[in-house]
Amino acid sequence: MEPVSASQIGVAMAASLVLWWFSTGAILWLVRRPRAAAGWTLGLSSLVAVIALIGLAVVARDQSVFGAYWAFGFALTVWGWHELGFLMGKITGPRRTPCPPTASGWMRFRVSAETVIHHEIALVATAIVIAALAWGQPNQTGTLTFALLLAMRLSTKLNIFLGVRNPPITFLPSGLTYLQTYFRRARFNALFPLSLALSVIAAILLGHAATDAATSPGMAIGACLMMALALLGLLEHAFLMMPSPDRTLWGWALGDDDKQSRADIILAAAGERDR
């Protein structure tokens, strides 16, 4: 069996990049629409997510290259529904107030977890459902894509909790500004290099699978799509410790506001408290 060509790899990685950029921007744009539009936005996206779940069950039987693309796209769609629900404040956690000024150590971890625990449970439950839908089927691209996104998101949240130079405050809509008080600004944390190393290892393993002659074309393209996602996850982690081009990439979705300057003041105060 011949490995996929360089052009096929390039197309797959470009497709992954475009889908990541557009889907992220679309979500950021939707959560900033007027409150009156929230109902139909969430309702329509929920319908699309159900269709995507059905699609994942169907394409799990398809070992072709197109099957890999469809599975990847469906997994991103379901993931995007979760992100939309979270940023709209519908799937977050029982705590919706700022971090207590005296919280530190285990207490800070507990109250921080309470702000997002419903979202984490929903993500894990969805990952289990997707795995069950594709269980025993030849096309596992959808399951592995969702699992990769879940792992990268958990790593990002833990790094933000431990402390990073540039927490992703530009992504938070007005209804979730209280989450800024749970972010910690720090020059370094011990988990960060491990997160980078694991992202690199994942990308290397997926790259090897994509170019291995023993891998079927469909599985190879699926590996290419996920390799690009792993590299994007590596880049997103790097942006936590350096100036992030959020407004350059998604200025059309974020709009114009002065949230950045307000959040910097909040985060600077939180950094002083944590020292």
Side-chain angles (χ1 to χ4, degrees), residues 37-128:
W40 70 262
T41 299
L42 193 59
L44 182 60
S45 66
S46 297
L47 176 61
V48 172
V50 170
I51 294 173
L53 281 173
I54 296 172
L56 283 168
V58 173
V59 300
R61 307 181 184 92
D62 186 355
Q63 301 183 62
S64 70
V65 168
F66 286 110
Y69 276 110
W70 276 112
F72 183 79
F74 285 143
L76 282 184
T77 300
V78 176
W79 182 266
W81 175 80
H82 276 283
E83 290 299 281
L84 188 64
F86 176 77
L87 291 174
M88 292 180 71
K90 304 301 182 182
I91 312 175
T92 54
R95 179 178 289 272
R96 295 170 180 263
T97 55
C99 184
T102 58
S104 62
W106 170 250
M107 180 182 177
R108 179 170 170 265
F109 179 81
R110 180 176 61 80
V111 296
S112 297
E114 288 175 354
T115 65
V116 295
I117 190 63
H118 293 165
H119 186 229
E120 305 308 307
I121 292 173
L123 287 173
V124 172
T126 302
I128 293 172

